[in-house]
Amino acid sequence: MRQDDLYINKIDWISIAIYAVLVIIGWINIYAAVYDEQSIKSIFDFSINSGKQLVWIGTAVLLITVIMVADYRLFENLALILYGFFIILLIITPFIGKEVNGQILSVGFGNFRIQPAEFAKFATALALAKVMERPIFDLGQIKYQIQAIAVIMVPVILIMLQPDTGTAMVYFAFFIMLYREGMPQWYYVLGLSFVAITLLSLGIENNLYLAIAVGVIILILILLGKKKIPRILSLIGIGILIVGYSYSIDYVVSKLPEHQQNRIMVLFNPNLDPLGVGWNVTQSKIAIGSGGFFGKGYLEGTQTKFDFVPEQHTDFIFCTLGEEFGWLGSFVVIGLFCALLIRLVMLAERQKNRFSRIYGYCVISILLFHFMINIAMTVGLFPVVGIPLPFFSYGGSSLWSFTILLFIFIKLDSHRIQLLSRIG
């Protein structure tokens, strides 16, 4: 058997097939989101978003071809160079980028523009894999924890300066990978505690109830460390810090931009401003709910056709699916995403090369975070933060970045035998 035939047989065609199905379903839903009965245009019309998305899909296929024919060692060798390149792009974006809705997100020339923050995701994933692949790298030690966290936080800080809070949040998904690779659990217990305190502080107005809730969380933390007295003392100190933090939430939120404050408050009180800040989520939930079990039919969604939901072809694309294909269509798409994520976990776990495994879990972390937050956002379980649905939402930067992220891992997996021989 020729070497090329052996390589083709090792490609994970299951992941590629799921990717292709998601991209196609996303494309036809983008057309539904911009469909206008008064001026019916073909889905292939390049003057509307579906036609433009088809161009992005075509160029994504070219990117896939380049990735799959490239030397698999190239990605490891260029990992830090790519990371440095996109860090430089993030630094200069506020100075040369185009401003949209108060955010400076894209750079480029003329009509060709890209969002460096989107592409920096796969570069950060490669950099983390490169930094952490060393045999001596141990996340149980502080110095190595600092190194990994620093790789993540540099792009986070630069993206926050644009400012793009939603995209910056995505980079914290890499902590899922760090957990798999041995980051101490107390980081996650403490982090989840602060998240819980934040939500309780925003959602509970009665100070007595808030104090009881905070006390329960502190008690749980102390019980988790009951076997070690020093840990109890440290957790008491952390408890005091949490109490102070819980009563400072209002101050912290007051320092956010006004539109972000409103989005947070609408999450806890959807009726706060139903015709203003809460409009998107309210109309999105109406669209999804009106779809019923089987949906209203393709191109028959009234919420979609009459543009009740802003940004429906991008961040709120899932509500188009829910309205026109109903619960059944939504279930199928969610099932496809879950199948892809489960498949990627299987691929990551079979990697014997540490670089490939770490990168694989970075891919899983990013896709999982986007998938969960986007859908939670459209049904009102998370503030609107502008996070696209992978392979589904309209946009060249989004589709390209997710495609590159996924297919680099598929490429590495297809060469897992060669990668194993390099460390053998």
Side-chain angles (χ1 to χ4, degrees):
M1 184 179 290
R2 294 184 306 168
Q3 184 69 26
D4 289 344
D5 294 335
L6 179 63
Y7 161 64
I8 291 174
N9 290 336
K10 295 296 182 182
I11 294 175
D12 185 62
W13 295 104
I14 295 176
S15 296
I16 294 176
I18 297 173
Y19 163 84
V21 172
L22 285 171
V23 169
I24 292 171
I25 296 176
W27 176 53
I28 65 174
N29 275 277
I30 289 170
Y31 178 62
V34 299
Y35 177 73
D36 184 359
E37 288 182 331
Q38 303 303 316
S39 57
I40 299 175
K41 295 182 178 180
S42 167
I43 191 173
F44 301 100
D45 192 324
F46 295 140
S47 68
I48 59 177
N49 287 336
S50 60
K52 295 174 185 177
Q53 186 72 2
L54 186 60
V55 174
W56 296 124
I57 293 171
T59 50
V61 173
L62 292 178
L63 285 174
I64 292 170
T65 304
V66 170
I67 291 171
M68 299 308 287
V69 301
D71 190 320
Y72 67 94
R73 292 165 291 195
L74 184 68
F75 306 108
E76 184 176 351
N77 294 336
L78 294 180
L80 297 180
I81 295 174
L82 286 170
Y83 179 74
F85 172 75
F86 282 106
I87 290 300
I88 292 172
L89 269 185
L90 289 174
I91 292 173
I92 65 176
T93 294
F95 302 100
I96 67 171
K98 180 180 179 180
E99 183 175 339
V100 179
N101 297 327
Q103 297 174 317
I104 305 175
L105 304 178
S106 63
V107 296
F109 303 95
N111 292 326
F112 178 76
R113 311 193 70 82
I114 64 169
Q115 295 182 21
E118 290 291 337
F119 291 92
K121 294 171 189 174
F122 84 83
T124 303
L126 287 171
L128 279 168
K130 184 65 176 177
V131 168
M132 295 174 60
E133 72 167 346
R134 294 168 293 165
I136 62 170
F137 196 95
D138 179 10
L139 281 173
Q141 299 183 38
I142 292 292
K143 65 176 181 179
Y144 294 118
Q145 295 171 11
I146 292 174
Q147 289 177 27
I149 293 174
V151 173
I152 298 171
M153 292 307 297
V154 170
V156 168
I157 293 170
L158 294 174
I159 293 169
M160 287 293 292
L161 294 176
Q162 292 183 3
D164 186 2
T165 307
T167 303
M169 284 175 54
V170 173
Y171 285 76
F172 288 98
F174 288 121
F175 279 86
I176 300 173
M177 176 278 296
L178 294 181
Y179 181 81
R180 166 61 181 84
E181 294 300 316
M183 180 72 89
Q185 293 184 5
W186 70 266
Y187 278 97
Y188 298 88
V189 173
L190 186 59
L192 291 173
S193 297
F194 273 94
V195 170
I197 293 298
T198 301
L199 295 175
L200 289 169
S201 299
L202 292 171
I204 300 177
E205 297 182 1
N206 188 300
N207 287 337
L208 176 60
Y209 293 156
L210 175 61
I212 292 172
V214 171
V216 170
I217 291 176
I218 294 173
L219 179 61
I220 292 172
L221 289 173
I222 292 175
L223 291 175
L224 288 173
K226 64 182 179 179
K227 294 182 179 179
K228 295 183 179 180
I229 298 301
R231 185 180 297 179
I232 295 177
L233 296 177
S234 64
L235 286 173
I236 291 174
I238 291 172
I240 295 172
L241 177 63
I242 287 177
V243 172
Y245 173 73
S246 67
Y247 285 97
S248 67
I249 293 297
D250 289 339
Y251 174 78
V252 173
V253 170
S254 70
K255 296 301 180 182
L256 294 174
E258 184 176 357
H259 70 280
Q260 292 181 358
Q261 293 182 41
N262 292 334
R263 288 173 178 177
I264 291 172
M265 299 317 298
V266 164
L267 175 67
F268 295 97
N269 184 4
N271 298 319
L272 182 66
D273 187 12
L275 299 180
V277 178
W279 176 265
N280 286 29
V281 175
T282 300
Q283 297 304 315
S284 176
K285 290 192 290 185
I286 291 173
I288 294 171
S290 66
F293 189 83
F294 292 108
K296 296 178 179 177
Y298 187 53
L299 304 181
E300 297 298 326
T302 53
Q303 294 290 112
T304 297
K305 284 195 296 185
F306 296 114
D307 296 326
F308 280 103
V309 185
E311 306 300 329
Q312 194 161 351
H313 59 295
T314 53
D315 301 336
F316 284 87
I317 190 69
F318 186 77
C319 72
T320 302
L321 175 77
E323 181 177 24
E324 299 195 344
F325 294 94
W327 180 90
L328 187 60
S330 301
F331 177 79
V332 169
V333 169
I334 291 173
L336 286 169
F337 272 108
C338 291
L340 178 60
L341 290 167
I342 291 170
R343 184 64 184 173
L344 293 178
V345 170
M346 293 170 61
L347 299 188
E349 285 298 326
R350 76 182 184 184
Q351 304 303 310
K352 303 301 180 184
N353 175 273
R354 197 176 186 192
F355 178 88
S356 299
R357 185 183 72 243
I358 292 170
Y359 180 79
Y361 270 99
C362 286
V363 175
I364 295 163
S365 301
I366 291 294
L367 293 180
L368 176 64
F369 191 90
H370 269 272
F371 164 63
M372 292 180 61
I373 297 302
N374 178 272
I375 293 180
M377 189 176 70
T378 60
V379 297
L381 296 178
F382 198 86
V384 178
V385 290
I387 292 180
L389 188 60
F391 317 125
F392 228 81
S393 295
Y394 170 79
S397 291
S398 172
L399 179 61
W400 281 7
S401 64
F402 286 126
T403 298
I404 293 170
L405 184 75
L406 174 63
F407 277 86
I408 287 178
F409 181 49
I410 291 175
K411 174 68 173 181
L412 293 174
D413 175 71
S414 67
H415 287 279
R416 61 187 179 279
I417 303 300
Q418 292 95 317
L419 284 164
L420 178 60
S421 66
R422 289 174 56 197
I423 62 176

